[in-house]
Amino acid sequence: MTLFRASVLDTPANPFTGGRLRSDDDCGLLVEQGVITARGPFETLRSTHPDEPVLNLREGILLPGMVDTHVHFPQVRIIGGLGLPLLDWLDQCALPEEMRLADVDHARGVAHDFVSGLVDAGTTTALVFGAHFAGAVDTMFEAADQWGLRVTTGLVTSDRLLPEPLLTTPERARAESRELADRWHGKGRLRYAVTPRFSLSASDALLESCAQTVAEVPGAFFTSHVNENVHEIREVASLFDGAAYVDTYDRHGLLTPRSVLAHDVHPTDRELATLAGRGTAVAHCPTSNAALGSGLFPLRRHVEAGVRVALGSDVGAGTGFSLFKEGLQAYFAQQLLGEQGLPLTSAHLLWLSTAAGADALGLADEVGVLSVGRQFDAIWVLPEPGDPLAVGLANAASANDALSKVFALGTTSDVGGVWVGGDQIAAGRWRRPRDR
Ligand code: GUN
Ligand code: ZN
């Protein structure tokens, strides 16, 4: 057992429906076998548990671990390819890199770089877009398992339009996916996600094989892309006899509460109603949408339609792993939308990057907030003394203001410690809590 002492911020209730930031300045969290078993004023917990070791994190802020609902493992080494719209970026940046993952040893190195990127950023749970090669997906599961991260991932499948080495058949996709799921789904903190790349590169036969795989792997997730770029949407419509993009998945029964579709920058109202009706979540990827010029995400329309929304970094079209940056960019996008935008507070940004992600991934009972009964997945925001964030936190007018400063100024270097299920898996770049 460990008694953590910290200034804790989290969002137990959805700020889009009236929830507020929960702020406990001198909070005690008792953690037993990875689970929070008591929470309250530190001195109260100290007096009832006088013999437990105390980990004092009062300097800085303790937040729930970040939850990234859309991030591509094969793209870690190509972050920063700016200046191209989606389909050109895929052709020139992403797909050539993804073909290199046919080599398992190369893939293992990429998986290592990728998982390090997640951990450094304080991401403790992720829905990871995998690779087109089963051997590469194995290396991703292995790396996540070694670090103890909560990762849901799977084989990316396509049977048209992409370069030949990235193509499969519906039968092979199903067989390889089943094999990977048999090996990894439900092992430790890992789960399987059935992952056609996008309808543009997936025939109806491939999508139908995806539906069969979902049915054969109880508890499996489904993830793909939707409505990201206007040219892409036009092409999808012409390939599917004018169908709406969302319907290309829905008519195979692929949209359920265990489905997450990335982007959805240009939905119709009817598509939003379908997503809401199915309980499918959308991964909003703000820096990617800006970098590729895909558009400004209509968050208000999603929220008003009742669609669940969480954040995704969309590495490597997105510009890094930090969900602080994604949160800030989400805020910017809503500001730029003017009257159509949904003004966001720091509580919204924390919700979107933690509890909303946990909800989208069906893990709301386990992670996303630092409440009794939840896993102790947490990050310690601890800027270096003198850093503008440290100065800002020292002078914050309120907890909401302090949290705004975290999103405005925070980077991966400010993550001073990362815990998953009570285990500390990273100690930040410049100091460890136990040294203090
Ligand atoms: N649509 C299909 N593949 C991709 C990808 O790798 N990144 C993004 N942003 N969109 C996609
Ligand atoms: Zn993506």
Side-chain angles (χ1 to χ4, degrees):
M1 265 201 276
T2 304
L3 182 52
F4 289 82
R5 180 179 197 180
S7 197
V8 178
L9 298 180
D10 65 357
T11 50
N14 183 349
F16 291 105
T17 52
R20 297 158 70 109
L21 181 66
R22 175 167 63 172
S23 159
D24 283 321
D25 181 40
D26 192 3
C27 184
L29 293 168
L30 189 67
V31 176
E32 294 178 59
Q33 297 183 337
V35 176
I36 302 166
T37 54
R39 173 178 171 141
F42 172 74
E43 290 304 343
T44 311
L45 255 67
R46 165 89 282 187
S47 63
T48 49
H49 299 86
D51 300 327
E52 302 310 333
V54 173
L55 194 52
N56 189 347
L57 309 176
R58 273 211 80 201
E59 197 186 341
I61 297 176
L62 195 72
L63 301 176
M66 300 281 123
V67 181
D68 189 337
T69 62
H70 186 75
V71 54
H72 292 251
F73 125 65
Q75 297 176 6
V76 57
R77 295 182 180 179
I78 54 146
I79 298 168
L82 302 178
L84 297 169
L86 173 65
L87 299 179
D88 295 336
W89 177 83
L90 283 171
D91 279 347
Q92 294 172 40
C93 288
L95 301 182
E97 175 73 4
E98 297 212 12
M99 284 191 265
R100 294 189 191 107
L101 274 78
D103 175 344
V104 174
D105 290 330
H106 177 82
R108 193 166 289 112
V110 174
H112 176 271
D113 291 348
F114 175 80
V115 171
S116 303
L118 287 181
V119 172
D120 276 357
T123 297
T124 51
T125 298
L127 177 56
V128 174
F129 222 85
H132 286 270
F133 306 99
V137 178
D138 252 330
T139 69
M140 178 61 229
F141 274 120
E142 276 164 18
D145 199 35
Q146 272 162 15
W147 283 80
L149 287 180
R150 298 184 203 282
V151 162
T152 306
T153 191
L155 182 71
V156 179
T157 55
S158 288
D159 66 347
R160 65 180 175 194
L161 290 175
L162 301 191
E164 201 278 331
L166 300 179
L167 298 180
T168 187
T169 62
E171 298 73 28
R172 194 175 126 209
R174 187 168 157 207
E176 290 183 351
S177 301
R178 279 296 305 274
E179 225 172 275
L180 283 162
D182 286 349
R183 197 151 50 249
W184 295 107
H185 184 60
K187 178 170 193 275
R189 298 169 180 150
L190 306 175
R191 300 180 304 177
Y192 196 78
V194 176
T195 313
R197 187 163 198 124
F198 56 166
S199 294
L200 191 64
S201 66
S203 69
D204 272 310
L206 185 87
L207 294 171
E208 191 50 37
S209 88
C210 290
Q212 288 170 348
T213 310
V214 171
E216 288 164 1
V217 182
F221 262 69
F222 172 79
T223 192
S224 194
H225 296 89
V226 78
N227 288 327
E228 178 174 1
N229 167 290
V230 289
H231 299 291
E232 170 213 22
I233 295 166
R234 218 172 288 143
E235 290 294 312
V236 167
S238 76
L239 285 169
F240 286 91
D241 300 324
Y245 206 147
V246 161
D247 292 347
T248 63
Y249 302 118
D250 191 46
R251 58 194 192 186
H252 293 281
L254 290 166
L255 301 186
T256 76
R258 285 202 309 277
S259 308
V260 178
L261 294 178
H263 299 287
D264 208 30
V265 181
H266 307 285
T268 62
D269 287 346
R270 205 181 56 71
E271 287 178 298
L272 288 173
T274 301
L275 293 172
R278 302 288 183 239
T280 291
V282 165
H284 171 28
C285 304
T287 70
S288 168
N289 292 345
L292 298 178
S294 301
L296 294 169
F297 181 69
L299 178 61
R300 180 187 287 283
R301 289 177 59 219
H302 281 75
V303 170
E304 288 177 354
V307 179
R308 297 146 74 212
V309 176
L311 280 187
S313 66
D314 197 27
V315 156
T319 61
F321 285 92
S322 178
L323 291 193
F324 298 149
K325 179 154 70 169
E326 294 305 327
L328 183 65
Q329 184 66 36
Y331 167 84
F332 288 157
Q334 296 312 306
Q335 291 292 97
L336 291 169
L337 276 167
E339 289 191 354
Q340 289 162 18
L342 190 54
L344 297 176
T345 65
S346 57
H348 290 110
L349 304 187
L350 185 62
W351 164 265
L352 286 169
S353 43
T354 57
D359 181 62
L361 301 187
L363 296 172
D365 291 339
E366 292 188 51
V367 299
V369 294
L370 294 168
S371 296
V372 171
R374 301 310 211 293
Q375 296 281 324
F376 186 74
D377 283 19
I379 64 171
W380 189 29
V381 179
L382 185 68
E384 203 161 349
D387 178 283
L389 178 55
V391 173
L393 293 182
N395 292 284
S398 64
N400 286 278
D401 186 36
L403 188 60
S404 297
K405 289 172 161 59
V406 170
F407 279 97
L409 290 162
T411 69
T412 57
S413 325
D414 298 310
V415 178
V418 182
W419 289 261
V420 182
D423 297 327
Q424 187 172 3
I425 62 167
R429 285 201 173 77
W430 60 283
R431 54 186 174 173
R432 304 174 62 87
R434 287 190 179 82
D435 299 339
R436 300 173 57 72

